[in-house]
Amino acid sequence: MVVREWSGTVRDEDAAAYLELMVRHAIPDYRAVPGNLGAQVWHRPDGDGVVRFVTVSWWQSRAAITAFAGDDIETARYYDFDDRYLVDRGPVVRHYDAAGSQP
């Protein structure tokens, strides 16, 4: 199993709207890709008027991630609404090999 992690920040006043979009659009998009084992959005105030969002997804393989993200899986994939909300895009994605039980 491979875990994919991306993070970015939005302004405090935009956090609720951004979370809603992530839950309604991004997470179902992740889940629709064959080989996706689950996805979550984590968020927390990060100080200085911003909220950090972290998207964590679990995948059967790097090949499954490629079906979602394209050939360069280390580059973040963005949604149309990200331009409106993100103040820090977090362009790099981290991947981890995972052992143990699934989420």
Side-chain angles (χ1 to χ4, degrees), residues 9-52:
T9 57
V10 303
R11 291 174 201 84
D12 282 340
E13 61 269 18
D14 292 331
Y18 189 72
L19 178 60
E20 172 84 11
L21 289 166
M22 291 296 288
V23 169
R24 288 181 51 208
H25 299 287
I27 296 303
D29 186 47
Y30 279 70
R31 297 292 296 140
V33 178
N36 178 268
L37 303 172
Q40 294 179 325
V41 178
W42 302 346
H43 55 97
R44 69 177 177 93
D46 210 20
D48 294 329
V50 297
V51 174
R52 174 157 306 277

Side-chain angles (χ1 to χ4, degrees), residues 34-97:
N36 178 268
L37 303 172
Q40 294 179 325
V41 178
W42 302 346
H43 55 97
R44 69 177 177 93
D46 210 20
D48 294 329
V50 297
V51 174
R52 174 157 306 277
F53 280 81
V54 177
T55 303
V56 178
S57 53
W58 295 266
W59 302 86
Q60 288 178 340
S61 65
R62 281 178 166 70
I65 297 170
T66 299
F68 171 75
D71 289 335
D72 183 4
I73 65 170
E74 301 300 322
T75 299
R77 177 179 170 192
Y78 294 102
Y79 293 91
D80 292 340
F81 57 83
D82 285 329
D83 286 339
R84 157 71 175 88
Y85 293 99
L86 290 173
V87 295
D88 172 12
R89 289 187 155 266
V92 176
V93 179
R94 291 182 180 94
H95 295 90
Y96 304 88
D97 293 321

